[in-house]
């Protein structure tokens, strides 16, 4: 039986970014139920970093993360982010929403511009423009396209270089206390640990229940993405990530001449291996054809993933108060990649009662903001 200090349950971006950050100071093991890291939400993300989602705190966490996300690695590993503009489009009756979003971009010092429908179409040539379609837009020149796989693999590498490890095909099936330590049963054998970190994404409440601590009410919500072929003569690779303000859709280049699109669905789900529903595929095809001149004739593939939210849609980070040595690191919602550097830093500080970075204080991110008891039931 392995006996370690810190056992992290979940090998998605949450568990791995935290593991890589703490492994140099604590004996760290990540347990992942599936056969590879990032099998669930983290492997299904479109992984863009932009300011078009979340409220002030999420946007602040994004702003705090951008420089680390964009940093060029010192070794030979793949770059995990490239600058890729984000275009936020609005109808003529959405001037207020665009105004609010412009204020956000101004506040965070983004390199952005408020542009007309015609100017937006110059960036995304298939856009329909006019009062009912794209009337005005904001282009954020500093948005990032993240390489989710490179990020996950980079964290695994850093974890191992610091002496930690990840075991895949190790689904946690039971958790108990024994002589002041946790004993975790998995289908790859048992492990003992002083501290458990719950980074199990959509399954975070299930892990809490096994450990005998109160749940949060984490709500997994399904989101669907399609990939479709574009007409041969179109080179879409430089088209921006384009998103409606408010409900609608987003669309972005995938590479190999295809575009990805999502209806930004948020269908409540149980924790599961999410799959796309016909109705959501039909909805996105319809919305793309309505808002652009693109025919959606051949859908190359489609998938769905679960974005997991606490009741107040903020992350849950900190020790449970009702059992010893149980640390929450869940509720990363629809922004788990773009906020991962800041969240891992916050997680490490709270896990070790460490120094609270001045940048966090200056940005009004206080240690108590993410405490689990604010929504434990
Ligand atoms: C379609 C889509 C688009 C998205 N777009 C963006 C975006 O543009 N930008 C952005 O920042 N974010 C985006 N997100 C959100 C982002 O992907 C998530 O916030 C992030 O992946 C959550 O990471 P996680 O590690 O918490 O969850 P997961 O990746 O789901 O990881 C949790 C892991 O825990 C494991 N686990 C569960 N139970 C057990 C158990 N009993 N034992 C062992 N292991 C267990 C699971 O197998 C899983 O691998 C998107 C998500 C989706 C679905």
């Amino acid at each position: 039986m392995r006996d370690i200090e810190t056992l992290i349950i979940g090998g998605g971006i949450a568990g791995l970014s935290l593991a890589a950050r703490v492994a140099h100071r604590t004996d760290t093991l990540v347990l992942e139920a599936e056969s590879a890291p990032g099998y669930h939400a983290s492997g299904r993300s479109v992984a863009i970093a932009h300011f078009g989602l979340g409220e002030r705190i999420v946007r602040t966490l994004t702003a705090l993360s951008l420089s680390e996300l964009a940093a060029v690695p010192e070794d030979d590993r793949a770059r995990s982010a490239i600058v890729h503009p984000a275009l936020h489009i609005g109808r003529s009756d959405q001037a207020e929403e665009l105004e609010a979003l412009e204020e956000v971009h101004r506040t965070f010092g983004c390199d952005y511009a408020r542009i007309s429908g015609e100017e937006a179409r110059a960036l995304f040539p298939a856009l329909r423009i006019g009062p009912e379609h794209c009337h005005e837009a904001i282009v954020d020149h500093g948005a990032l396209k993240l390489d989710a796989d490179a990020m996950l693999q980079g964290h695994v590498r850093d974890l191992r270089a610091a002496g930690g490890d990840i075991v895949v095909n190790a689904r946690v099936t039971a958790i108990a206390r024994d002589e002041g330590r946790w004993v975790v049963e998995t289908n790859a054998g048992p492990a003992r640990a002083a501290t458990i970190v719950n980074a199990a994404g959509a399954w975070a409440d299930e892990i809490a229940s096994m450990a005998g601590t109160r749940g949060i009410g984490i709500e997994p919500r399904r989101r669907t993405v399609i990939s479709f072929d574009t007409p041969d003569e179109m080179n879409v690779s430089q088209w921006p990530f384009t998103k409606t303000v408010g409900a609608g859709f987003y669309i972005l280049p995938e590479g190999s001449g295809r575009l990805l699109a999502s209806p930004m669905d948020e269908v409540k789900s149980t924790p599961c291996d999410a799959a796309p529903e016909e109705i959501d595929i039909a909805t996105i095809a319809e919305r793309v054809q309505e808002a652009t001149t693109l025919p959606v004739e051949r859908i190359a593939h489609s998938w769905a993933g679960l974005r997991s939210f606490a009741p107040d849609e903020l992350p849950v980070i900190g020790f449970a108060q009702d059992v010893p040595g149980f640390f929450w690191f869940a509720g990363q919602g629809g922004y788990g990649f773009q906020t991962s550097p800041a969240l891992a830093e916050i997680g490490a500080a709270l896990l070790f009662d460490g120094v609270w970075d001045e940048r966090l204080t200056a940005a009004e991110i206080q240690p108590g903001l993410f405490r689990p008891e604010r929504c434990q039931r």
Side-chain angles (χ1 to χ4, degrees):
M1 183 187 298
R2 291 184 75 161
D3 196 345
I4 44 133
E5 281 172 40
T6 305
L7 186 73
I8 298 182
I9 302 175
I13 188 64
L16 288 172
S17 58
L18 182 63
R21 180 103 30 170
V22 301
H24 65 281
R25 57 196 293 187
T26 175
D27 185 18
T28 307
L29 180 67
V30 176
L31 297 178
E32 168 51 49
E34 305 290 352
S35 58
Y39 178 88
H40 288 286
S42 301
R44 306 174 192 206
S45 177
V46 302
I48 295 280
H50 64 96
F51 286 95
L53 84 174
E55 295 304 326
R56 183 191 68 83
I57 293 166
V58 169
R59 287 171 167 147
T60 303
L61 294 167
T62 302
L64 288 166
S65 298
L66 286 183
S67 58
E68 191 171 324
L69 290 169
V72 180
E74 282 169 18
D75 56 19
D76 61 353
R77 82 175 60 148
R79 274 201 76 166
S80 51
I82 50 166
V83 174
H84 191 98
L87 185 66
H88 302 278
I89 60 173
R91 300 184 305 264
S92 61
D93 62 350
Q94 290 178 312
E96 262 181 42
E97 280 107 313
L98 272 178
E99 195 63 53
L101 194 57
E102 184 172 7
E103 177 59 26
V104 168
H105 284 77
R106 198 178 301 126
T107 305
F108 289 108
C110 302
D111 173 14
Y112 80 94
R114 180 117 174 223
I115 59 176
S116 65
E118 285 85 0
E119 289 168 310
R121 189 169 57 185
L123 298 171
F124 194 109
L127 269 187
R128 289 187 206 279
I129 57 170
E132 298 295 306
H133 297 294
C134 173
H135 179 68
E136 268 193 292
I138 289 169
V139 56
D140 174 3
H141 299 288
L144 299 174
K145 172 77 188 96
L146 308 174
D147 183 333
D149 191 50
M151 285 176 71
L152 293 168
Q153 294 308 327
H155 291 319
V156 169
R157 203 174 343 176
D158 290 346
L159 165 67
R160 290 199 167 126
D165 204 2
I166 174 169
V167 181
V168 295
N169 294 314
R171 181 177 302 279
V172 171
T173 52
I175 301 175
R177 295 286 293 168
D178 178 47
E179 297 179 351
R181 291 179 84 76
W182 291 107
V183 181
V184 172
E185 299 294 335
T186 83
N187 49 6
R192 286 172 76 85
T195 302
I196 288 179
V197 175
N198 181 6
W203 291 264
D205 275 333
E206 283 186 9
I207 296 296
S209 161
M210 286 185 209
T213 178
R214 285 180 297 142
I216 296 287
I218 294 284
E219 187 175 274
R221 299 180 198 160
R222 191 181 66 235
R223 175 150 294 184
T224 309
V225 181
I226 62 167
S227 162
F228 63 98
D229 289 329
T230 49
D232 285 346
E233 68 282 4
M234 277 184 184
N235 178 359
V236 301
S237 63
Q238 298 308 311
W239 289 11
F241 166 74
T242 298
K243 176 181 178 300
T244 52
V245 295
F249 72 101
Y250 64 63
I251 187 164
L252 66 155
E254 184 189 29
S256 63
R258 290 187 180 136
L259 288 165
L260 299 181
S262 170
M264 301 196 289
D265 44 336
E266 297 201 82
V267 184
K268 285 181 197 172
S269 169
T270 52
C272 67
D273 193 354
E277 301 270 333
E278 285 303 323
I279 175 80
D280 297 315
I281 294 175
T283 301
I284 184 52
E286 194 181 303
R287 288 184 188 172
V288 167
Q289 295 185 132
E290 215 172 84
T292 72
T293 55
L294 295 163
V296 184
E297 281 162 358
R298 214 187 78 76
I299 295 176
H301 53 250
S302 59
W303 69 88
L306 300 178
R307 301 151 81 244
S308 296
F309 293 86
D312 60 5
E313 302 199 349
L314 287 180
V316 182
I317 309 177
F319 280 103
Q321 297 301 303
D322 51 351
V323 292
F326 186 92
F327 190 84
W328 285 87
F329 198 60
Q332 280 80 352
Y335 45 81
F337 276 94
Q338 67 189 59
T339 58
S340 60
L343 292 184
E345 181 180 329
I346 289 166
L350 293 174
L351 190 54
F352 297 111
D353 203 10
V355 181
W356 197 249
D357 194 283
E358 291 174 359
R359 281 189 331 136
L360 296 172
T361 308
E364 296 179 27
I365 301 291
Q366 310 298 349
L369 208 53
F370 307 111
R371 65 192 189 289
E373 60 273 23
R374 74 180 198 274
C375 35
Q376 271 182 312
R377 303 178 302 178

